[in-house]
Every structure is written in structure tokens, then in C-alpha cells.
């Protein structure tokens, strides 16, 4: 493991995505191809950015979104610069750690200099070990476990995975989602008697739950029920819902992914149980579940760093560009926005540091790691204003409260 000290704390401030040379008007596919393999010819002078995520398989909704979001950013940067300065090569890992490491090795053979990825947590834990050994800078858009970055104490206070100092996150860590959710529910007075249903076989869900549980007390939130499930039992939630109902829960907190959440909403409706439902970023995607009656999600709330229906110009421009790039009418989700911000933040630092394609991946890693870990590199993008990173690899930014209204995600303050 590399442990390069932070010796320079130069202040870098990027105000808005435009400050990274990236005004968000709609763009086509100019420059920066997203290759499925490693044999494509590279643009002379372009910095090679690798990407990894599932674009096939059960988690493809996440990987496809990050791939497309990253491509929008690369295309826009190349368009703004008037030449191909970034080249993106995206590899499918099918949400499988072993395949993700194989994808990483393919990108290394291609000559990757920076990695945006991986998309999901288990593959990212595996790949981040590889990038740390190889000293290649890695910024993941959406892998939220603290095991990705290392250096974090477990529930017993032990650090079992050393800090991988080249790895940073654009998304919130799982514990931070639990903290932010408890704070938001209390501040917005959304409920006082809380039931929790979480997946005790999933590190993502369990990590959020544990932090939420510890934070709830300090915000005068009473947890009246905490029930669990596993992937094998994620088809029938009547026991969990009946307990929540019998305990008088006025809000059910769901630190889980959207597929089991859709089943919970359906079964709650069938039993006449209608509390408020509050989720985290894994809930993003519930409106796309095949066969799910989206009316059942009306009023569901979640914390997420991005919502496509926001009315600011950067969001509107990104949504338009994303639809053009993907040739569809589908709105981008938060994973696409996180990946866009990953590429944008990396490019902002590249320009500030005068990094060139002639540098080795290790030389680039030295410069980017020192800058991101300094705490003084600030970036404003789609998923947050004045974002900074600490030496732990964690990002600091404010989550947004989202509510599903009339079948779309809406900022909570705009939906009132």
C-alpha cells in the first residue's frame, strides 16, 4: 500500500461545472469513444480514462447509467476543448468481483491512466485493492461501502482494511447516509415512531441501518421496530410490515434497494398499512421496476444527491445531453449524474495541475491523490455545491430530499 503524505494544500475552487470548461448544453457523440474492448486506436494526446460497471445482468441499470453519464462528460469536455483530450473505455463487469478484476486488467493493457469506477460495491472492493497496489487513481461514482476506501473502523472499532489512499468516492458512504437520513427525518418532522426494514445479508443496507440506529436517539426518533430479510427471503414482507403496523410506526425507513422496496410497498398497500416510506439512494430506480404499479410509490421519500426534474440550468442541460447521447426519452438517475461529476472533477484537477497524457498513471496518481486528499480542492457539479474530499477518501456534500409525486422524482421543497 502506498502512503504518500500531503505536502501541498493549494486552494483550488471550481464554481459550477462550467468552471471545468464544461457549459452544459446538449451534445452529441463528438470525441471520446466508449469502447467495449481494448483494441481501439487511441487519440493522440488524450488522457485515457477507464470505466467499469455492469452493463449486462441484474444490476445493469446502475452500470449503464454510470457509463452514459461518464460519456456525456467526456463528450462535452472534448467539445469544449475543441479536440479529444479525454478518451473513455468502459468495461462490463456484470456486478461480479472476479469479472471486474478481469475488466480492470483489460483496461491496464489498454493503457488506462485514471479509473472512474467501479459502479457497484463488491466489485469495487476487489478492484480498489488492485488500483492501490498499482498506484492508479480511482474515483468511484457509486460504490458506497467504507471497505472501498479502507481505513474505517468497524462496529467494534477495529480497522481491518487499511486506507487505500488512491481511492476516493463521489457518493456518500453507507454510514453517512444513515446519519443524513436520521437528521433529515427529524428536521423535516416526517415521523417520530420509526420502523426499519433492512437486509442483514447486505453490507450496504446493514451499514446504513447501524448508523441510522445510533443517530436516531440523538434526534429524538423512537425506533419501534427493526426487522430484517435476506436476498433469499426478499419476496414476502408481511411479518415485517405487520410488526411495524402493530407498533404504531408512522414512518418506515428502508435502507435497501428498489426491487425489494417495490414488493414492500405492494404488500403494505394490500394490508391497508399506509405510513410514510423513506429510503436512500438505492431506492432510485423504483419507478422503472417491470410490472410495478408506480402509483404505490406516490409520496415515497428518499435522500439522493441528484434529481432530473430540478429546474436549474446545469441539470436541465445535463438531462438534455444525456437523452441525446442515449437516444432515449429516459431521464438520467443519480448514478449517471455521479459519473458525470467524477469525470468533471477529475478534469478540473487535471487542468489545474497541468497533467498531460505523456505522464505515467503513477505520476498522475501522485498529483491527483495529493490534490483530492488535501481537503482544499473544491468542485461544484450536478450532485453538490462546493464538494470537497478528505484524506479518508470520503466526499463532503449535502444530500437532497426527494419525493415521488405524480409518477416522477421531485425535489421536496419544490413539491410542497
Amino acid at each position: 500500500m502506498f502512503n504518500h503524505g500531503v505536502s501541498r494544500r493549494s486552494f483550488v475552487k471550481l464554481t459550477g461545472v462550467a468552471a471545468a470548461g464544461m457549459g452544459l448544453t446538449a451534445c452529441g457523440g463528438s470525441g471520446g469513444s466508449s469502447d467495449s474492448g481494448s483494441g481501439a486506436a487511441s487519440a493522440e494526446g488524450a488522457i485515457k480514462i477507464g470505466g467499469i460497471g455492469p452493463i449486462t445482468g441484474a444490476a445493469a441499470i446502475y452500470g449503464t447509467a454510470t457509463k452514459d453519464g461518464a460519456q456525456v462528460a467526456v463528450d462535452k469536455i472534448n467539445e469544449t476543448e475543441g479536440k479529444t483530450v479525454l478518451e473513455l473505455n468502459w468495461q462490463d463487469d456484470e456486478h461480479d468481483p472476479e469479472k471486474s478484476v478481469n475488466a480492470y486488467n483489460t483496461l491496464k493493457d489498454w493503457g488506462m491512466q485514471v479509473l472512474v469506477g467501479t459502479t457497484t460495491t463488491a466489485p469495487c472492493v476487489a478492484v480498489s485493492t488492485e488500483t492501490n497496489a498499482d498506484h492508479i487513481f480511482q474515483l468511484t461514482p457509486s460504490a458506497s461501502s467504507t471497505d472501498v476506501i479502507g481505513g474505517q473502523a468497524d462496529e467494534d472499532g477495529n480497522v481491518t482494511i487499511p486506507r487505500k489512499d488512491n481511492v476516493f468516492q463521489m457518493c456518500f458512504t453507507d454510514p453517512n447516509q444513515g446519519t443524513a437520513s436520521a437528521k433529515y427525518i427529524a428536521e423535516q418532522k416526517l415521523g417520530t415512531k420509526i420502523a426499519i426494514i433492512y437486509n442483514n445479508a447486505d453490507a450496504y443496507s446493514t451499514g446504513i441501518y447501524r448508523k441510522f440506529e445510533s443517530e436516531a436517539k440523538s434526534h429524538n426518533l423512537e425506533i419501534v421496530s427493526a426487522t430484517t430479510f435476506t436476498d433469499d427471503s426478499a419476496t414476502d414482507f408481511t411479518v415485517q410490515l405487520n410488526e411495524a403496523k402493530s407498533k404504531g410506526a408512522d414512518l418506515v425507513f428502508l435502507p435497501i434497494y428498489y426491487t425489494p422496496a417495490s414488493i414492500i410497498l405492494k404488500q403494505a398497500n394490500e394490508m391497508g398499512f399506509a405510513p410514510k416510506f423513506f429510503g436512500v439512494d438505492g431506492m432510485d430506480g423504483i419507478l422503472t421496476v417491470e410490472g410495478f404499479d408506480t402509483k404505490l410509490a406516490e409520496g415515497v421519500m428518499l435522500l439522493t444527491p441528484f434529481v432530473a426534474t430540478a429546474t436549474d440550468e446545469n441539470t436541465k442541460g445535463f438531462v438534455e445531453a444525456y437523452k441525446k447521447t442515449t437516444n432515449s426519452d429516459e431521464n438520467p438517475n443519480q448514478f449517471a449524474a455521479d459519473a458525470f461529476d467524477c469525470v468533471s472533477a477529475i478534469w478540473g484537477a487535471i487542468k489545474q495541475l497541468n497533467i498531460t497524457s505523456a505522464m505515467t498513471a503513477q505520476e498522475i496518481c501522485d498529483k491527483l491523490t495529493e490534490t483530492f486528499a488535501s481537503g482544499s480542492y473544491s468542485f461544484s457539479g450536478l450532485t453538490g455545491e462546493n464538494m470537497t474530499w478528505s484524506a479518508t477518501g470520503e466526499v463532503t456534500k449535502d444530500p437532497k430530499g426527494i419525493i415521488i409525486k405524480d409518477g416522477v422524482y421531485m425535489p421536496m421543497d419544490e413539491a410542497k
Side-chain angles (χ1 to χ4, degrees):
M1 176 175 173
F2 295 84
N3 288 297
H4 302 281
V6 177
S7 60
R8 177 170 55 86
R9 298 181 60 86
S10 57
F11 179 76
V12 182
K13 180 76 178 282
L14 299 179
T15 304
V17 178
M22 301 170 51
L24 273 171
T25 55
C27 59
S30 60
S33 62
S34 179
D35 303 307
S36 59
S38 60
S42 296
E44 185 177 355
I47 293 172
K48 294 182 177 181
I49 295 181
I52 303 174
I55 54 177
T56 58
I61 187 174
Y62 302 123
T64 301
T66 52
K67 171 182 175 290
D68 291 337
Q71 188 65 59
V72 172
V74 168
D75 287 347
K76 192 62 208 174
I77 290 166
N78 290 337
E79 179 184 307
T80 300
E81 295 297 316
K83 60 181 179 179
T84 302
V85 294
L86 296 180
E87 185 175 3
L88 178 66
N89 184 333
W90 196 275
Q91 295 291 316
D92 182 13
D93 68 3
E94 301 177 43
H95 182 47
D96 180 277
E98 183 177 352
K99 290 179 180 178
S100 202
V101 171
N102 291 338
Y104 169 72
N105 287 326
T106 297
L107 290 170
K108 266 207 317 178
D109 291 342
W110 172 66
M112 172 181 62
Q113 293 164 294
V114 176
L115 176 61
V116 171
T118 68
T119 299
T120 50
T121 289
C124 200
V125 173
V127 169
S128 61
T129 299
E130 300 295 322
T131 64
N132 185 248
D134 294 332
H135 199 48
I136 295 176
F137 184 81
Q138 180 177 358
L139 179 59
T140 170
S142 47
S144 55
S145 171
T146 55
D147 290 348
V148 168
I149 52 177
Q152 305 288 312
D154 60 22
E155 58 181 319
D156 298 319
N158 301 315
V159 177
T160 56
I161 300 177
R163 167 75 178 116
K164 306 166 190 176
D165 68 329
N166 64 303
V167 186
F168 295 81
Q169 292 169 310
M170 180 61 71
C171 56
F172 298 110
T173 61
D174 296 341
N176 285 345
Q177 288 203 68
T179 300
S181 295
K183 181 180 178 183
Y184 193 89
I185 290 169
E187 289 180 347
Q188 300 296 319
K189 297 180 172 57
L190 300 178
T192 55
K193 292 187 175 182
I194 314 298
I196 307 170
I197 303 175
Y198 70 99
N199 185 342
N200 65 355
D202 178 58
Y204 165 81
S205 185
T206 302
I208 298 173
Y209 158 70
R210 286 174 177 162
K211 195 63 177 179
F212 181 90
E213 182 186 39
S214 65
E215 289 293 319
K217 296 177 182 178
S218 64
H219 292 288
N220 296 317
L221 299 176
E222 180 186 1
I223 297 178
V224 297
S225 170
T227 53
T228 67
F229 67 95
T230 65
D231 293 333
D232 293 335
S233 63
T235 56
D236 187 353
F237 295 92
T238 53
V239 171
Q240 295 92 329
L241 289 167
N242 274 317
E243 179 172 326
K245 185 178 181 180
S246 67
K247 295 292 181 64
D250 54 9
L251 184 145
V252 176
F253 179 51
L254 301 175
I256 59 178
Y257 291 110
Y258 60 84
T259 301
S262 68
I263 299 172
I264 288 172
L265 293 177
K266 180 177 181 293
Q267 293 177 347
N269 179 68
E270 291 171 348
M271 61 189 292
F273 182 37
K276 294 176 181 176
F277 288 96
F278 193 98
V280 287
D281 61 5
M283 187 78 79
D284 194 355
I286 195 167
L287 297 179
T288 66
V289 175
E290 186 176 355
F292 175 65
D293 181 0
T294 57
K295 293 179 182 177
L296 298 177
E298 192 74 6
V300 169
M301 297 167 285
L302 63 148
L303 287 186
T304 178
F306 171 81
V307 58
T309 54
T311 56
D312 63 280
E313 291 303 315
N314 278 342
T315 299
K316 290 193 294 184
F318 172 65
V319 170
E320 184 180 354
Y322 182 88
K323 289 181 177 180
K324 189 169 184 178
T325 295
T326 60
N327 193 29
S328 73
D329 291 328
E330 185 176 331
N331 277 333
N333 59 24
Q334 69 170 73
F335 301 95
D338 275 331
F340 181 95
D341 276 357
C342 280
V343 175
S344 305
I346 289 168
W347 176 245
I350 284 172
K351 292 199 73 173
Q352 292 288 336
L353 298 168
N354 296 316
I355 290 172
T356 71
S357 62
M359 296 178 180
T360 66
Q362 290 70 37
E363 290 170 333
I364 292 173
C365 186
D366 280 337
K367 290 179 175 291
L368 291 179
T369 295
E370 182 180 19
T371 297
F372 273 77
S374 69
S376 58
Y377 176 62
S378 178
F379 170 76
S380 291
L382 295 169
T383 65
E385 295 292 322
N386 303 316
M387 290 181 275
T388 59
W389 288 262
S390 68
T392 65
E394 297 169 280
V395 69
T396 298
K397 60 183 178 182
D398 293 325
K400 300 179 178 70
I402 304 302
I403 188 168
I404 297 175
K405 184 176 181 180
D406 299 326
V408 297
Y409 300 102
M410 293 290 295
M412 205 158 319
D413 55 356
E414 292 183 17
K416 292 178 179 179

CSV table of all heavy atoms in Angstrom, one decimal, residues 31-74:
chain,number,residue,atom,x,y,z
A,31,GLY,N,-16.1,13.1,-30.2
A,31,GLY,CA,-14.9,12.8,-29.4
A,31,GLY,C,-15.1,11.8,-28.3
A,31,GLY,O,-16.2,11.5,-27.9
A,32,GLY,N,-14.0,11.2,-27.8
A,32,GLY,CA,-14.0,10.3,-26.6
A,32,GLY,C,-15.0,9.1,-26.7
A,32,GLY,O,-16.0,9.1,-26.2
A,33,SER,N,-14.6,8.1,-27.5
A,33,SER,CA,-15.4,7.0,-27.7
A,33,SER,C,-15.5,6.1,-26.4
A,33,SER,O,-14.5,6.1,-25.6
A,33,SER,CB,-14.9,6.1,-28.8
A,33,SER,OG,-13.6,5.6,-28.6
A,34,SER,N,-16.6,5.4,-26.2
A,34,SER,CA,-16.7,4.5,-25.1
A,34,SER,C,-16.6,3.1,-25.7
A,34,SER,O,-17.5,2.5,-26.2
A,34,SER,CB,-18.0,4.6,-24.4
A,34,SER,OG,-18.2,3.7,-23.4
A,35,ASP,N,-15.4,2.5,-25.6
A,35,ASP,CA,-15.1,1.3,-26.3
A,35,ASP,C,-15.5,0.1,-25.4
A,35,ASP,O,-15.3,0.1,-24.2
A,35,ASP,CB,-13.6,1.2,-26.6
A,35,ASP,CG,-13.1,2.4,-27.4
A,35,ASP,OD1,-13.7,2.6,-28.5
A,35,ASP,OD2,-12.1,3.0,-27.0
A,36,SER,N,-15.9,-1.0,-26.1
A,36,SER,CA,-16.3,-2.2,-25.3
A,36,SER,C,-15.1,-3.1,-25.2
A,36,SER,O,-15.1,-4.0,-24.4
A,36,SER,CB,-17.4,-2.9,-26.1
A,36,SER,OG,-17.0,-3.3,-27.4
A,37,GLY,N,-14.0,-2.8,-25.9
A,37,GLY,CA,-12.8,-3.6,-25.8
A,37,GLY,C,-11.6,-2.8,-25.7
A,37,GLY,O,-11.7,-1.6,-25.6
A,38,SER,N,-10.4,-3.4,-25.8
A,38,SER,CA,-9.2,-2.6,-25.6
A,38,SER,C,-8.4,-2.4,-26.9
A,38,SER,O,-7.3,-1.9,-26.8
A,38,SER,CB,-8.3,-3.4,-24.6
A,38,SER,OG,-8.0,-4.7,-25.1
A,39,GLY,N,-8.9,-2.8,-28.0
A,39,GLY,CA,-8.1,-2.8,-29.2
A,39,GLY,C,-8.3,-1.5,-30.1
A,39,GLY,O,-7.7,-1.4,-31.1
A,40,ALA,N,-9.2,-0.6,-29.7
A,40,ALA,CA,-9.4,0.6,-30.5
A,40,ALA,C,-8.2,1.5,-30.4
A,40,ALA,O,-7.5,1.6,-29.5
A,40,ALA,CB,-10.7,1.3,-29.9
A,41,ALA,N,-8.0,2.2,-31.6
A,41,ALA,CA,-6.9,3.2,-31.7
A,41,ALA,C,-7.2,4.3,-30.7
A,41,ALA,O,-8.3,4.8,-30.5
A,41,ALA,CB,-6.8,3.7,-33.1
A,42,SER,N,-6.2,4.8,-30.1
A,42,SER,CA,-6.3,5.9,-29.1
A,42,SER,C,-6.0,7.3,-29.8
A,42,SER,O,-5.2,7.3,-30.7
A,42,SER,CB,-5.4,5.7,-28.0
A,42,SER,OG,-5.7,4.5,-27.2
A,43,ALA,N,-6.7,8.3,-29.3
A,43,ALA,CA,-6.5,9.6,-29.9
A,43,ALA,C,-5.1,10.1,-29.3
A,43,ALA,O,-4.9,10.0,-28.1
A,43,ALA,CB,-7.6,10.5,-29.5
A,44,GLU,N,-4.3,10.7,-30.2
A,44,GLU,CA,-3.0,11.2,-29.7
A,44,GLU,C,-3.2,12.3,-28.8
A,44,GLU,O,-4.0,13.3,-29.0
A,44,GLU,CB,-2.2,11.6,-31.0
A,44,GLU,CG,-0.8,12.1,-30.6
A,44,GLU,CD,0.0,12.4,-31.9
A,44,GLU,OE1,-0.5,12.3,-33.0
A,44,GLU,OE2,1.1,12.9,-31.7
A,45,GLY,N,-2.5,12.3,-27.6
A,45,GLY,CA,-2.6,13.3,-26.7
A,45,GLY,C,-3.7,13.2,-25.7
A,45,GLY,O,-3.8,14.1,-24.8
A,46,ALA,N,-4.6,12.2,-25.8
A,46,ALA,CA,-5.7,12.1,-24.9
A,46,ALA,C,-5.3,11.3,-23.7
A,46,ALA,O,-4.6,10.3,-23.7
A,46,ALA,CB,-6.9,11.4,-25.6
A,47,ILE,N,-5.8,11.8,-22.5
A,47,ILE,CA,-5.7,11.0,-21.3
A,47,ILE,C,-6.7,9.9,-21.3
A,47,ILE,O,-7.9,10.1,-21.6
A,47,ILE,CB,-5.9,12.0,-20.1
A,47,ILE,CG1,-4.7,13.0,-20.0
A,47,ILE,CG2,-5.9,11.2,-18.8
A,47,ILE,CD1,-4.9,14.1,-19.0
A,48,LYS,N,-6.2,8.7,-20.9
A,48,LYS,CA,-7.1,7.5,-21.0
A,48,LYS,C,-7.8,7.3,-19.7
A,48,LYS,O,-7.1,7.0,-18.7
A,48,LYS,CB,-6.2,6.3,-21.4
A,48,LYS,CG,-5.6,6.4,-22.8
A,48,LYS,CD,-4.8,5.2,-23.1
A,48,LYS,CE,-4.3,5.2,-24.6
A,48,LYS,NZ,-3.6,4.0,-24.9
A,49,ILE,N,-9.1,7.4,-19.7
A,49,ILE,CA,-9.9,7.1,-18.6
A,49,ILE,C,-10.6,5.8,-18.7
A,49,ILE,O,-11.4,5.6,-19.7
A,49,ILE,CB,-10.9,8.2,-18.3
A,49,ILE,CG1,-10.2,9.5,-18.0
A,49,ILE,CG2,-11.9,7.9,-17.2
A,49,ILE,CD1,-11.1,10.7,-17.7
A,50,GLY,N,-10.5,4.9,-17.8
A,50,GLY,CA,-11.2,3.6,-17.8
A,50,GLY,C,-12.4,3.7,-17.0
A,50,GLY,O,-12.5,4.5,-16.0
A,51,GLY,N,-13.4,2.9,-17.3
A,51,GLY,CA,-14.6,2.8,-16.5
A,51,GLY,C,-15.1,1.4,-16.4
A,51,GLY,O,-14.9,0.6,-17.4
A,52,ILE,N,-15.6,1.0,-15.3
A,52,ILE,CA,-16.1,-0.4,-15.0
A,52,ILE,C,-17.4,-0.3,-14.4
A,52,ILE,O,-17.6,0.4,-13.4
A,52,ILE,CB,-15.1,-1.2,-14.2
A,52,ILE,CG1,-13.7,-1.2,-14.8
A,52,ILE,CG2,-15.6,-2.6,-13.9
A,52,ILE,CD1,-12.6,-1.8,-13.9
A,53,GLY,N,-18.3,-1.2,-14.8
A,53,GLY,CA,-19.6,-1.3,-14.2
A,53,GLY,C,-20.5,-2.3,-15.0
A,53,GLY,O,-20.2,-2.6,-16.1
A,54,PRO,N,-21.6,-2.7,-14.4
A,54,PRO,CA,-22.4,-3.7,-15.1
A,54,PRO,C,-23.3,-3.1,-16.1
A,54,PRO,O,-24.2,-2.3,-15.8
A,54,PRO,CB,-23.3,-4.3,-13.9
A,54,PRO,CG,-23.3,-3.2,-12.9
A,54,PRO,CD,-22.0,-2.5,-13.0
A,55,ILE,N,-23.1,-3.5,-17.4
A,55,ILE,CA,-24.0,-3.0,-18.4
A,55,ILE,C,-24.8,-4.2,-18.9
A,55,ILE,O,-25.6,-4.0,-19.9
A,55,ILE,CB,-23.3,-2.3,-19.6
A,55,ILE,CG1,-22.1,-3.2,-20.1
A,55,ILE,CG2,-22.7,-1.0,-19.1
A,55,ILE,CD1,-21.4,-2.5,-21.3
A,56,THR,N,-24.6,-5.4,-18.4
A,56,THR,CA,-25.5,-6.5,-18.6
A,56,THR,C,-25.7,-7.1,-17.2
A,56,THR,O,-25.0,-6.9,-16.2
A,56,THR,CB,-24.9,-7.6,-19.5
A,56,THR,OG1,-23.6,-8.0,-18.9
A,56,THR,CG2,-24.6,-7.0,-20.9
A,57,GLY,N,-26.8,-7.9,-17.1
A,57,GLY,CA,-27.1,-8.6,-15.8
A,57,GLY,C,-28.1,-7.8,-15.0
A,57,GLY,O,-28.6,-6.8,-15.4
A,58,ALA,N,-28.3,-8.3,-13.7
A,58,ALA,CA,-29.3,-7.8,-12.9
A,58,ALA,C,-29.1,-6.3,-12.4
A,58,ALA,O,-30.0,-5.6,-12.1
A,58,ALA,CB,-29.5,-8.7,-11.6
A,59,ALA,N,-27.8,-5.9,-12.4
A,59,ALA,CA,-27.5,-4.6,-11.9
A,59,ALA,C,-27.2,-3.6,-13.1
A,59,ALA,O,-26.6,-2.6,-12.8
A,59,ALA,CB,-26.3,-4.6,-10.9
A,60,ALA,N,-27.6,-4.0,-14.3
A,60,ALA,CA,-27.3,-3.2,-15.4
A,60,ALA,C,-27.8,-1.8,-15.4
A,60,ALA,O,-27.2,-0.9,-16.0
A,60,ALA,CB,-27.8,-3.9,-16.7
A,61,ILE,N,-28.9,-1.5,-14.7
A,61,ILE,CA,-29.5,-0.2,-14.6
A,61,ILE,C,-28.4,0.8,-14.0
A,61,ILE,O,-28.4,1.9,-14.4
A,61,ILE,CB,-30.8,-0.2,-13.8
A,61,ILE,CG1,-31.4,1.2,-13.9
A,61,ILE,CG2,-30.5,-0.6,-12.4
A,61,ILE,CD1,-32.8,1.3,-13.2
A,62,TYR,N,-27.6,0.3,-13.1
A,62,TYR,CA,-26.6,1.2,-12.5
A,62,TYR,C,-25.4,1.4,-13.4
A,62,TYR,O,-25.0,2.5,-13.6
A,62,TYR,CB,-26.2,0.5,-11.1
A,62,TYR,CG,-27.3,0.3,-10.1
A,62,TYR,CD1,-27.5,-1.0,-9.6
A,62,TYR,CD2,-28.1,1.3,-9.7
A,62,TYR,CE1,-28.5,-1.2,-8.7
A,62,TYR,CE2,-29.1,1.1,-8.8
A,62,TYR,CZ,-29.3,-0.2,-8.3
A,62,TYR,OH,-30.3,-0.4,-7.3
A,63,GLY,N,-24.9,0.3,-13.9
A,63,GLY,CA,-23.7,0.4,-14.7
A,63,GLY,C,-24.0,1.1,-16.0
A,63,GLY,O,-23.1,1.9,-16.5
A,64,THR,N,-25.1,0.9,-16.6
A,64,THR,CA,-25.4,1.6,-17.9
A,64,THR,C,-25.5,3.1,-17.6
A,64,THR,O,-25.1,3.9,-18.4
A,64,THR,CB,-26.7,1.1,-18.5
A,64,THR,OG1,-26.6,-0.3,-18.7
A,64,THR,CG2,-27.1,1.8,-19.8
A,65,ALA,N,-26.1,3.5,-16.5
A,65,ALA,CA,-26.3,4.9,-16.1
A,65,ALA,C,-24.9,5.6,-15.9
A,65,ALA,O,-24.7,6.7,-16.4
A,65,ALA,CB,-27.1,5.0,-14.9
A,66,THR,N,-24.0,4.9,-15.2
A,66,THR,CA,-22.7,5.5,-15.0
A,66,THR,C,-21.9,5.6,-16.3
A,66,THR,O,-21.2,6.6,-16.5
A,66,THR,CB,-21.9,4.7,-13.9
A,66,THR,OG1,-21.9,3.3,-14.2
A,66,THR,CG2,-22.5,4.8,-12.5
A,67,LYS,N,-22.0,4.5,-17.1
A,67,LYS,CA,-21.3,4.6,-18.4
A,67,LYS,C,-21.8,5.8,-19.2
A,67,LYS,O,-21.0,6.5,-19.8
A,67,LYS,CB,-21.6,3.3,-19.1
A,67,LYS,CG,-21.1,3.2,-20.6
A,67,LYS,CD,-21.4,1.9,-21.2
A,67,LYS,CE,-21.1,1.9,-22.7
A,67,LYS,NZ,-22.0,2.8,-23.5
A,68,ASP,N,-23.1,5.9,-19.3
A,68,ASP,CA,-23.6,7.0,-20.1
A,68,ASP,C,-23.3,8.4,-19.5
A,68,ASP,O,-23.1,9.3,-20.3
A,68,ASP,CB,-25.1,6.8,-20.3
A,68,ASP,CG,-25.5,5.6,-21.2
A,68,ASP,OD1,-24.6,5.2,-22.0
A,68,ASP,OD2,-26.6,5.1,-21.1
A,69,GLY,N,-23.4,8.5,-18.2
A,69,GLY,CA,-23.1,9.8,-17.6
A,69,GLY,C,-21.7,10.2,-17.8
A,69,GLY,O,-21.4,11.3,-18.1
A,70,ALA,N,-20.8,9.2,-17.7
A,70,ALA,CA,-19.4,9.5,-17.9
A,70,ALA,C,-19.1,9.9,-19.4
A,70,ALA,O,-18.3,10.8,-19.7
A,70,ALA,CB,-18.5,8.3,-17.6
A,71,GLN,N,-19.8,9.2,-20.3
A,71,GLN,CA,-19.7,9.5,-21.7
A,71,GLN,C,-20.1,11.0,-22.0
A,71,GLN,O,-19.5,11.7,-22.8
A,71,GLN,CB,-20.4,8.6,-22.6
A,71,GLN,CG,-20.2,8.7,-24.1
A,71,GLN,CD,-18.7,8.4,-24.4
A,71,GLN,OE1,-18.3,7.2,-24.2
A,71,GLN,NE2,-18.0,9.3,-25.0
A,72,VAL,N,-21.2,11.4,-21.4
A,72,VAL,CA,-21.7,12.8,-21.6
A,72,VAL,C,-20.6,13.8,-21.2
A,72,VAL,O,-20.4,14.7,-21.9
A,72,VAL,CB,-23.0,13.0,-20.9
A,72,VAL,CG1,-23.4,14.5,-20.9
A,72,VAL,CG2,-24.2,12.2,-21.4
A,73,ALA,N,-20.0,13.5,-20.1
A,73,ALA,CA,-19.0,14.4,-19.6
A,73,ALA,C,-17.8,14.4,-20.5
A,73,ALA,O,-17.2,15.5,-20.9
A,73,ALA,CB,-18.5,14.0,-18.2
A,74,VAL,N,-17.3,13.2,-21.0
A,74,VAL,CA,-16.2,13.2,-21.9
A,74,VAL,C,-16.5,13.9,-23.2
A,74,VAL,O,-15.6,14.7,-23.7
A,74,VAL,CB,-15.8,11.7,-22.1
A,74,VAL,CG1,-14.8,11.6,-23.3
A,74,VAL,CG2,-15.2,11.1,-20.9
